[in-house]
Every structure is written in C-alpha cells, then in structure tokens.
Amino acid sequence: MSDCLVIGGGVIGMMSARTLAMAGAKVTLIDQRACGKESSWAGGGIISPLYPWQYSDLVNELSRASQAVYGDLCAALLDNTGIDPEYIHSGLLMMDEYNTPEAQEWMDKHRFDFQSHPQGALFANIAQVRNPRLLKALKADIFKRGVKIVEYTKVNQLITENSTTLGVVTDNKKYYADHTIVCSGAWSSSLLDAKNTIYPIKGQMIVIKSKAGVVEHIVLDQGRYIIPRKDGQLLIGSTMEDVGFERSIDAQVGADLLAFAVARFPQLKDANIEHHWAGFRPASKADVMIEKHPQLAHLYINTGHFRNGLNMAPESANRIKQMIEG
Ligand SMILES: Cc1cc2nc3c(=O)[nH]c(=O)nc-3n(C[C@H](O)[C@H](O)[C@H](O)COP(=O)(O)OP(=O)(O)OC[C@H]3O[C@@H](n4cnc5c(N)ncnc54)[C@H](O)[C@@H]3O)c2cc1C
C-alpha cells in the first residue's frame, strides 16, 4: 500500500494509522497537540452506544463490528506495548428506558438480551476500556509499527491541485502523500472547508475515588452514567453542551454529577471530586462520516463519531482502509 497522511491523533486517527500500517502503508500522523489528549481522552470508554435504539443502524453496525474485535485488540496492544487498556466486561445496568416500546421492539429485532436486575436491566456483555490507557497503548503501538508521529504541529490547509488532494500545509512544512485522511475530531470542519458540518458538543465529566466493588457495573440512568474502573475510581458523566470550543468547567455541574451518583449509591456520600474536565465530541449532521471526499480525489474523512468514537473506532478504521484499498 502507498503513503498515507493521517490528520489527528485521537482514537480515530491512531486506530486508522494502525490499521493502515498493518496493511503495509507508510503512514505519517500529525496532531496539533500531543496525541490522545482531546475528546478521546475526555470520554468514558463505554464500548456501546448508551441506549442503542436511539442510534441509527449504521452506528450500531459500526459498534457491533468493533465490539467483536475489541477484546483481541486490547490484548494485542498489551502484548506489543506492555500498556494495559483495561478492557473489562463490567456489564451495563440500565435503570430507565429499557422497557419502552421502542427499546423492546429494537431488542426483539436485534436479539439483544438483558438479565432482569432489582434496579433495572443488566446488559452483561457490555464492556469498557480505560481510554487514556488505550490511547497511550495505541501511540506506543503505532510508533513500534513505524508510523511517523508528528506532534504539536497544526495542519493549516490541504494542498489541492486539479481536484486532487496531494498533502497538507503546516506552519513549518508541507507534507505530501498518496492519500490524506482527516481524523481531526470536532475541528474537522475547518480543514474540509465545510463550515458547521462537524461541530463540538462539550461534555463535562468528574472522577471520584471509591473502593473497588462498590459500583459493580456501569450504571446508566436518565442519560447519565457511572463507570467503575478496576482500581475503584468512578467516572461520572456527562453533559451535552452546544457552546462551541469553550473549555471551562462548572462547579455546579460537578456537584450535580456527584449528587447523581450519591442518589443511587448512598455509600458515596463522603466522596470528593478528584478531577473534573470537559471534552469536545465531534458531532455531525450525518450520524458519522466515514467516506471518500465527494469532490477531492485521494482525500478521506473519518470523523463525526459524536458520543461513540471510542466504541466505533476499530471498524471505522477498517472501513477507511477498505476504501483506500479500493
Ligand atoms: C465527556 C465525554 C464522554 C464520552 N464517552 C464516550 C464513551 O463512553 N464511549 C464512546 O465510544 N465515546 C465516548 N465519547 C465520544 C468519544 O470520546 C469521541 O467520539 C471520540 O473520542 C472522537 O475521537 P476523534 O479521534 O475523532 O477525536 P479527538 O479525540 O478529539 O481527536 C482529534 C485530534 O485531532 C487533532 N487536530 C484537530 N485539528 C487539527 C489540525 N488542524 N491539525 C492537526 N491536528 C488536529 C486534535 O488535537 C485531536 O488530538 C465521549 C466524549 C466525551 C467528551
């Protein structure tokens, strides 16, 4: 396979780079910051759409195909890098929505089963990954596979001639490649000259410390969730804010998220917020954009994964590879 240039080193960019490198491509990946510090770091790492019936068939298809390979992928990353992405089948306890006619119809159609639980419905097969570790492992893995990683380098524009993309311009240098893949998350619109096609939806999240086992499963209720990590940390999220790239966090939101968890697990009443952050989900008018650019040859787009980029990343990368291979 020929040379590929990946713009953006979030989960989508690094997974794309890995898949292309494994197919034999010579890959360069460019990020304006360090890799894996934006939405992919800020996310929760649930390897499933939250209420799957609220998403399109495409999103569910990408998720299902990714779920099928996630365990092996994380094992291979651990093996190759020594970094454990902590992929765990913690199961997801859904406290609401599972008994609506829409949910029931969807579950019947897709043979999606749950176990009855005193507090709702337990989807035992749903897994999580510790996304900051997944990103570290991905970065180490692609580096070992020979991907050239260029950090703290902003891509300012594409180089285009006769409706063909030849590469990109950064502040210091031009990079040329046979294929360019835009994986720039919530920032992708500016490069694609497609204003507002992809836009940021901010999400705030907190983490508190608890003892391992206090919260056994991922808990989902009223659109909010608690994710128990292996070491007892509990992530509690998240908000959906259409405020552009405004990164501030709001102490009241942190208090509300903590109250959400304490209302369901009173044992957490004395917990303190250890960290509170915000990230920008790449939202798009389409459900997700994994495509060859409609006008510019040799330009590909892998973005717009919104709330499901961590769980759709492996199959999204696979599809981009297939498009490039033709
Ligand atoms: C609070 C929150 C909770 C979430 N929870 C989950 C979850 O549980 N499960 C799930 O599947 N998904 C979740 N998500 C969504 C998921 O995080 C995103 O869909 C996913 O991270 C998108 O990945 P990405 O690589 O496209 O974007 P990003 O991780 O944002 O990466 C884009 C990269 O492109 C770089 N970049 C941008 N512009 C340029 C440029 N011009 N030049 C060079 N580099 C550039 C950026 O620096 C960045 O590193 C959550 C998101 C948030 C915010």
Side-chain angles (χ1 to χ4, degrees), residues 26-320:
K26 199 172 147 217
V27 183
T28 299
L29 181 148
I30 306 180
D31 199 290
Q32 62 187 0
R33 297 183 64 189
C35 290
K37 295 292 175 204
E38 290 288 359
S39 185
S40 305
W41 178 89
I46 303 171
I47 304 301
S48 169
L50 289 180
Y51 301 100
W53 40 92
Q54 295 178 1
Y55 291 90
S56 67
D57 286 346
L58 175 61
V59 167
N60 277 296
E61 208 179 288
L62 291 164
S63 287
R64 257 197 306 275
S66 298
Q67 283 160 3
V69 300
Y70 238 108
D72 286 347
L73 167 73
C74 290
L77 289 173
L78 172 60
D79 193 41
N80 197 27
T81 68
I83 303 167
D84 185 358
E86 292 189 11
Y87 172 84
I88 327 170
H89 273 107
S90 38
L92 183 145
L93 172 60
M94 197 180 289
M95 292 184 165
D96 65 347
E97 295 288 333
Y98 61 90
N99 47 10
T100 63
E102 185 197 7
Q104 293 294 334
E105 194 187 317
W106 190 92
M107 285 191 266
D108 285 348
K109 186 173 163 199
H110 295 279
R111 299 182 190 178
F112 206 74
D113 217 2
F114 63 80
Q115 296 162 22
S116 192
H117 184 281
Q119 287 163 291
L122 176 62
F123 296 87
N125 282 331
I126 291 183
Q128 62 162 294
V129 71
R130 196 158 184 161
N131 38 309
R133 296 192 186 183
L134 171 74
L135 296 162
K136 271 192 192 155
L138 270 173
K139 185 173 166 185
D141 181 272
I142 61 174
F143 180 75
K144 278 181 109 173
R145 291 180 192 279
V147 172
K148 183 173 174 208
I149 301 173
V150 183
E151 296 187 307
Y152 301 104
T153 302
K154 184 178 177 193
V155 170
N156 294 322
Q157 65 182 85
L158 305 171
I159 304 169
T160 301
E161 243 177 61
N162 300 327
S163 301
T164 301
T165 298
L166 304 176
V168 302
V169 183
T170 70
D171 283 341
N172 2 330
K173 205 174 149 181
K174 289 180 179 169
Y175 291 82
Y176 290 92
D178 296 333
H179 307 284
T180 300
I181 306 114
V182 175
C183 305
S184 316
W187 295 265
S188 300
S189 264
S190 60
L191 284 174
L192 294 169
D193 205 12
K195 208 164 166 239
N196 299 334
T197 311
I198 302 136
Y199 52 95
I201 295 291
K202 174 171 149 183
Q204 294 185 52
M205 183 113 91
I206 61 167
V207 66
I208 62 174
K209 211 174 206 146
S210 166
K211 287 200 189 84
V214 170
V215 179
E216 196 182 350
H217 309 291
I218 300 164
V219 172
L220 174 62
D221 195 12
Q222 297 175 0
R224 293 197 161 168
Y225 48 78
I226 308 169
I227 307 171
R229 297 298 198 214
K230 214 170 158 181
D231 60 4
Q233 278 198 341
L234 299 175
L235 269 70
I236 307 161
S238 59
T239 58
M240 297 272 277
E241 303 170 54
D242 191 356
V243 292
F245 289 104
E246 193 276 310
R247 216 184 267 273
S248 67
I249 51 166
D250 177 346
Q252 186 57 50
V253 167
D256 290 349
L257 290 171
L258 181 56
F260 165 82
V262 173
R264 283 146 192 88
F265 297 90
Q267 313 88 301
L268 301 175
K269 70 178 184 341
D270 296 323
N272 295 316
I273 298 176
E274 293 212 318
H275 191 36
H276 180 178
W277 65 89
F280 301 116
R281 305 176 184 93
S284 66
K285 302 233 156 50
D287 292 310
V288 51
M289 298 173 74
I290 307 173
E291 58 197 45
K292 224 167 170 312
H293 192 278
Q295 280 97 37
L296 301 174
H298 299 282
L299 180 63
Y300 298 82
I301 303 165
N302 193 2
T303 190
H305 295 74
F306 191 36
R307 302 194 83 175
N308 293 296
L310 289 154
N311 79 67
M312 297 195 289
E315 180 61 11
S316 303
N318 189 34
R319 293 204 179 181
I320 278 294

